[in-house]
Amino acid sequence: MSNKAMVDELTDMNNRRYMEWFIGEKIKKLEEESGTISCMMLDIDYFKQFNDRYGHIAGDVCLKKIAEIIRGCCQDNDVAAIRFGGEEFFICLFRWDRDEAVEMAETIRERIAECRFKINGEEEGAVTISIGVYTWHGEGKVQMDDLVCLSDKALYQAKKNGRNRVEVLP
């Protein structure tokens, strides 16, 4: 498969094909080592309303900026970040414990909240994100779908508890 097939054209981030291939291989190695994997599911708060109000071009600019911030925070070789779909992003942190993952999640959340988007030449308020974090502690086998599902469950808890926050699945 070509590299082009593994990259999201809009955000220039890796995509779900990359996740299935690369992250899947890393998981196999960590299962053998009993290493930890922390995962984050990120979702832009009220993104549909943003698109409805400002239009899809502004929405694309917003997605590109958020992807840039996420990539800037994910420079470590043991971190893989992808655009999961729509306004959702997924990050896997290999050999990172829960506290380290939460610290990174808070950094990403804060940087995005501080970012201001210009629309039609005018400065607008911040866009916020909600983040769900789940850490697998190396017991037994783990499937990619499980990591996605559990971090997604934590994300929905963040949305339920008010958005613009990080929630951790115990």
Side-chain angles (χ1 to χ4, degrees):
M1 188 176 311
S2 74
N3 284 347
K4 205 171 188 179
M6 292 191 201
V7 175
D8 175 66
E9 198 172 302
L10 176 67
T11 61
D12 202 30
M13 287 187 80
N14 291 312
N15 62 23
R16 288 174 78 165
R17 283 189 191 103
Y18 176 86
M19 179 180 81
E20 292 165 7
W21 171 74
F22 177 78
I23 296 176
E25 291 300 313
K26 290 277 252 191
I27 288 172
K28 286 178 193 172
K29 288 179 184 173
L30 285 174
E31 282 178 340
E32 293 167 9
E33 300 170 9
S34 296
T36 60
I37 303 170
S38 290
C39 297
M40 294 181 222
M41 185 67 78
L42 299 78
D43 186 67
I44 302 170
D45 296 328
Y46 305 110
F47 190 66
K48 182 182 180 337
Q49 289 89 329
F50 184 94
N51 262 344
D52 290 348
R53 181 173 180 187
Y54 302 112
H56 291 283
I57 300 298
D60 287 352
V61 170
C62 176
L63 286 168
K64 288 177 188 179
K65 184 63 178 173
I66 287 174
E68 180 183 316
I69 292 167
I70 292 169
R71 279 194 313 271
C73 292
C74 295
Q75 297 296 313
D76 190 292
N77 287 335
D78 281 333
V79 177
I82 68 156
R83 180 175 179 202
F84 193 75
E87 69 273 12
E88 289 185 321
F89 298 86
F90 184 75
I91 302 172
C92 255
L93 304 112
F94 305 101
R95 296 180 187 88
W96 286 51
D97 66 27
R98 180 180 135 173
D99 292 342
E100 292 169 318
V102 168
E103 185 177 330
M104 178 188 266
E106 285 292 352
T107 297
I108 293 169
R109 187 193 63 74
E110 289 168 6
R111 287 187 183 167
I112 290 170
E114 291 167 357
C115 183
R116 299 292 184 254
F117 294 91
K118 286 191 177 185
I119 301 166
N120 301 326
E122 297 178 22
E123 190 163 317
E124 278 297 316
V127 172
T128 61
I129 61 168
S130 297
I131 304 175
V133 177
Y134 169 74
T135 299
W136 176 74
H137 297 284
E139 311 90 23
K141 294 275 184 196
V142 65
Q143 299 293 319
M144 175 57 65
D145 289 347
D146 296 334
L147 296 174
V148 169
C149 182
L150 292 165
S151 55
D152 201 40
K153 188 175 180 181
L155 168 65
Y156 279 94
Q157 193 63 42
K159 290 183 170 294
K160 181 181 172 187
N161 289 338
R163 300 178 193 259
N164 189 25
R165 60 186 300 124
V166 175
E167 288 288 340
V168 181
L169 197 65

